Amino acid sequence: MTAYLLHLAILTGIHIILAVSLNLIIGYAGQVSLGHAAFYGIGAYVSALLALHLGLPFPACMAAAGLAAGFCGLGLGLPTLRLKEDYLAIVTLGFGVIVDLILLNLEITGGPDGLVGIPAPVIFGLSFRPQPRFLALTVLLTLLVLTLAAALVRSYHGRALRAIRDHETTAQVLGINTPAYKIAVFTLAAALAGLAGSLYAHYITFINPESFGLHTSILVLSMVILGGMGSLAGSVAGAVILTVLPELFRQFKDYQDLAYGALLVTLLIFRPQGLLGGGQLSLKFLRKGEEGRG
Amino acid sequence: MSLLSAESLTKSFGGVVAVNEVSFAVQEGEILALIGPNGAGKTTCFNLISGLLPPTAGRLTFAGHDITRQPPYSRARLGLARTFQNIQLFGGMSVVENVLAGMHLHQEVGPLAALFPGRRVRRAEARQRQRARELLELVGLAHRAELPADTLAYGEQRRLEIARALAQEPRLLLLDEPAAGLNPRETEDLMALLEKLGGLGITLFLIEHDMTLVMALSRRILVLDQGRLIAHGSPREIRQNPRVIAAYLGEEAGAGGEGRGL
Ligand SMILES: Nc1ncnc2c1ncn2[C@@H]1O[C@H](COP(=O)(O)OP(=O)(O)O)[C@@H](O)[C@H]1O
Ligand SMILES: [Mg+2]
């Protein structure tokens, strides 16, 4: 029983990192990403492969996972986010599918079977295989990510990001380099998702593409929307609820997606700002053509 | 040399030529007005100058730089600021935060240092907040500083937009119908404010229908009609220009427009 609770706590921590990073994109930069799990997957596979094939120590694997996912985020964001139109939702959706296909079909990623025998983290000779220790590591990393995100949001960068979310063209008129901000946030969020992936891989010790598909992207998106876009505390709450609840209703597993769907629709109707969010829901790609007329 | 110059500036939307081969120059330190009937292309002109729309043809020079193809944020960096005819505040932010957003280009804090504020950073931010409050004082909104911007009355929102633009410390400030929707008292306050800004050496370029305000403030007036510049000159010359009178009277007879007070 304790083992199970520890397991849930560790998963929750990983989900918090994912939700908070996605919330930076959605709640602050006002962009919608539907492929966040792809960066999570890239982080998991890069970290696992480096550990398995090169025997790199865990901190190096994790750093590489963050860099690789961040680099992919930059590569995807650079051409997409400079455009006036918001294509990010579609591009990230496509990117998620492509990454999924690559993981399924490459030899090095083990195809549908994935990778097994990923070593547990060892830092300075201390193994984090025991669950309590892994939980401590997860909590530490989650707190670091939360601190970073809170600092970002509180600084003048956070104000610039909220300005972009509220009124992109007006933000530009004030001298805010909106493409640079959007690309930077998207890259940072992708890198953080990569870190979460690395953590997951070295915890669970076997991974396959199933954990990193559209289903997971939607789960993380649900956490952000449930908690409230633009609210970091909300993302934490959303991650906790959507990690714990499904476990309580395990016997209805087949209906899980249905339940998420129903939950999201109900929420969007009755409390569009989410549980803890103050701002309005701003799915900008749904309301085009308003801007440009001064 | 002029601060801003437009050469044969043209913008068409499909078949509509909203701005048609318009050329003009704005001199450093002057207060210049742009008038014309509704739909004449005035706002489109401002959108071209501030970079919200790409011109179909023509050239824009600001402070010695060719800005024709520059994005709005680069133009802001050169000292260009504007307000909007349909007010565009950041509604979710507080009043003072809107002004702080206008100071984005003047951060004294490095981008990374801002994330982990030490004492020096916090002091710099306190200075900016103080400066923002002074600007709110100037436009008479100091007592509203902490309220959400979208709770302000209409006239207050107009003044907040001006304060936010002033926070950019612009060399040229474009004002799109700043008196629209204001009552006579508020209009008088606005006039006093704009006079004060002119006195501070900020170059003002304003679109305005309130002719009392235009005639009192500006030495020079440009008149736009159906995308074309049909006249420019002193308030007295403009008032007596037959083409201007015709344009305004035509609109008055047709759509019952806004040529009031000419
Ligand atoms: N973004 C746009 N797309 C299409 N047509 C536009 C756009 N902006 C302005 N127009 C058209 O251009 C003309 C000039 O409009 P505008 O510049 O707003 O006039 P004014 O500010 O002088 O009242 C109008 O016919 C208007 O319908
Ligand atoms: Mg207009």
Side-chain angles (χ1 to χ4, degrees):
Chain A
M1 190 60 200
T2 329
Y4 180 60
L5 287 181
L6 288 174
H7 171 72
L8 269 189
I10 290 167
L11 281 188
T12 303
I14 292 171
H15 284 161
I16 289 174
I17 297 176
L18 286 175
V20 163
S21 59
L22 183 62
N23 201 358
L24 289 178
I25 304 177
I26 296 180
Y28 288 92
Q31 306 291 307
V32 176
S33 166
L34 297 176
H36 211 50
F39 299 110
Y40 182 45
I42 289 167
Y45 273 87
V46 165
S47 196
L49 287 171
L50 289 178
L52 287 171
H53 291 286
L54 299 183
L56 288 189
F58 172 73
C61 293
M62 181 173 244
L67 283 177
F71 194 74
C72 291
L74 183 65
L76 201 61
L78 215 48
T80 313
L81 292 168
R82 263 194 314 209
L83 301 174
K84 227 185 160 110
E85 256 64 45
D86 297 333
Y87 291 125
L88 194 69
I90 293 161
V91 170
T92 49
L93 186 67
F95 180 67
V97 173
I98 290 169
V99 168
D100 204 33
L101 282 177
I102 291 176
L103 294 180
L104 273 172
N105 289 299
L106 280 191
E107 195 151 334
I108 191 169
T109 58
D113 297 334
L115 302 170
V116 294
I118 304 162
V122 178
I123 304 174
F124 292 127
L126 181 67
S127 167
F128 286 81
R129 183 178 294 281
Q131 260 187 324
R133 277 194 211 156
F134 200 97
L135 177 60
L137 180 66
T138 308
V139 168
L140 183 72
L141 274 171
T142 307
L143 285 179
L144 274 178
V145 169
L146 279 171
T147 310
L148 177 71
L152 179 70
V153 166
R154 234 184 304 107
S155 71
Y156 71 85
H157 299 303
R159 189 159 50 229
L161 288 171
R162 276 176 287 142
I164 293 171
R165 180 194 58 192
D166 282 4
H167 263 304
E168 189 168 339
T169 44
T170 308
Q172 293 195 350
V173 165
L174 298 184
I176 296 170
N177 187 334
T178 59
Y181 264 100
K182 290 197 284 186
I183 291 165
V185 167
F186 188 68
T187 303
L188 174 68
L192 292 178
L195 294 185
S198 165
L199 202 57
Y200 177 75
H202 293 264
Y203 168 63
I204 214 86
T205 70
F206 57 91
I207 53 176
N208 63 38
E210 224 171 87
S211 312
F212 312 108
L214 181 62
H215 174 82
T216 306
S217 289
I218 304 248
L219 174 66
V220 180
L221 185 64
S222 306
M223 292 170 181
V224 174
I225 295 177
L226 174 67
M229 301 187 187
S231 159
L232 295 181
S235 288
V236 174
V240 172
I241 292 170
L242 286 187
T243 310
V244 174
L245 267 194
E247 293 298 328
L248 294 181
F249 297 105
R250 251 210 145 124
Q251 60 265 50
F252 306 115
K253 203 165 182 1
D254 293 344
Y255 301 102
Q256 243 173 42
D257 282 348
L258 188 69
Y260 292 152
L263 181 73
L264 283 188
V265 171
T266 315
L267 205 69
L268 289 176
I269 293 171
F270 293 106
R271 200 173 158 75
Q273 68 272 50
L275 292 179
L276 297 176
Q280 280 299 307
L281 179 75
S282 135
L283 292 175
K284 276 211 286 196
F285 74 111
L286 290 181
R287 49 171 181 87
K288 272 289 171 51
E290 270 179 28
E291 306 195 28
R293 304 195 59 166
Chain B
M1 200 185 66
S2 43
L3 182 57
L4 172 76
S5 77
E7 293 163 42
S8 305
L9 203 57
T10 301
K11 178 71 193 178
S12 29
F13 298 107
V16 183
V17 187
V19 174
N20 200 345
E21 305 240 342
V22 167
S23 301
F24 59 83
V26 182
Q27 305 306 324
E28 183 113 49
E30 78 169 329
I31 300 182
L32 179 69
L34 176 62
I35 66 170
N38 240 347
K42 305 181 297 295
T43 296
T44 304
C45 248
F46 272 20
N47 286 343
L48 293 172
I49 296 171
S50 54
L52 295 189
L53 292 171
T56 309
R59 214 168 88 102
L60 280 164
T61 316
F62 179 66
H65 294 81
D66 184 336
I67 58 165
T68 317
R69 300 280 155 211
Q70 279 192 14
Y73 43 87
S74 307
R75 303 182 193 205
R77 196 171 282 279
L78 293 174
L80 190 66
R82 72 169 287 179
T83 65
F84 295 87
Q85 181 176 352
N86 52 343
I87 304 168
Q88 303 205 345
L89 293 169
F90 304 118
M93 292 187 200
S94 71
V95 167
V96 70
E97 268 198 300
N98 267 274
V99 180
L100 286 166
M103 293 180 182
H104 183 81
L105 286 174
H106 303 287
Q107 297 298 333
E108 303 167 46
V109 183
L112 279 181
L115 292 184
F116 305 103
R119 202 151 46 117
R120 193 185 58 81
V121 171
R122 277 200 300 273
R123 238 189 262 142
E125 282 171 358
R127 268 198 302 277
Q128 288 218 312
R129 233 161 231 279
Q130 178 56 32
R131 170 106 185 88
R133 282 185 180 275
E134 286 164 14
L135 284 168
L136 288 175
E137 199 94 46
L138 181 72
V139 300
L141 284 176
H143 59 301
R144 296 270 193 261
E146 299 303 331
L147 293 178
D150 54 11
T151 63
L152 292 186
Y154 190 80
E156 293 177 324
Q157 294 199 8
R158 283 228 172 272
R159 277 180 281 155
L160 176 53
E161 246 203 351
I162 294 177
R164 185 180 67 186
L166 289 175
Q168 292 177 244
E169 299 176 28
R171 289 178 72 180
L172 173 62
L173 174 54
L174 309 173
L175 298 155
D176 196 345
E177 303 202 20
L182 299 191
N183 64 35
R185 246 225 74 179
E186 290 174 322
T187 308
E188 234 167 78
D189 289 347
L190 175 72
M191 197 136 69
L193 174 64
L194 297 185
E195 237 156 33
K196 202 187 282 179
L197 298 183
L200 291 174
I202 301 172
T203 312
L204 299 179
F205 189 12
L206 71 150
I207 295 172
E208 190 44 67
H209 284 303
D210 186 322
M211 285 308 144
T212 330
L213 190 147
V214 168
M215 299 289 171
L217 278 179
S218 43
R219 296 295 108 69
R220 275 198 323 134
I221 298 175
L222 305 174
V223 188
L224 209 57
D225 182 35
Q226 295 180 25
R228 286 184 187 281
L229 205 57
I230 58 165
H232 73 273
S234 69
R236 180 203 301 268
E237 288 163 349
I238 292 302
R239 219 174 329 199
Q240 292 161 355
N241 186 310
R243 288 188 69 185
V244 177
I245 295 169
Y248 266 79
L249 289 181
E251 147 117 343
E252 205 121 277
E258 316 185 14
R260 59 184 183 259
L262 190 78

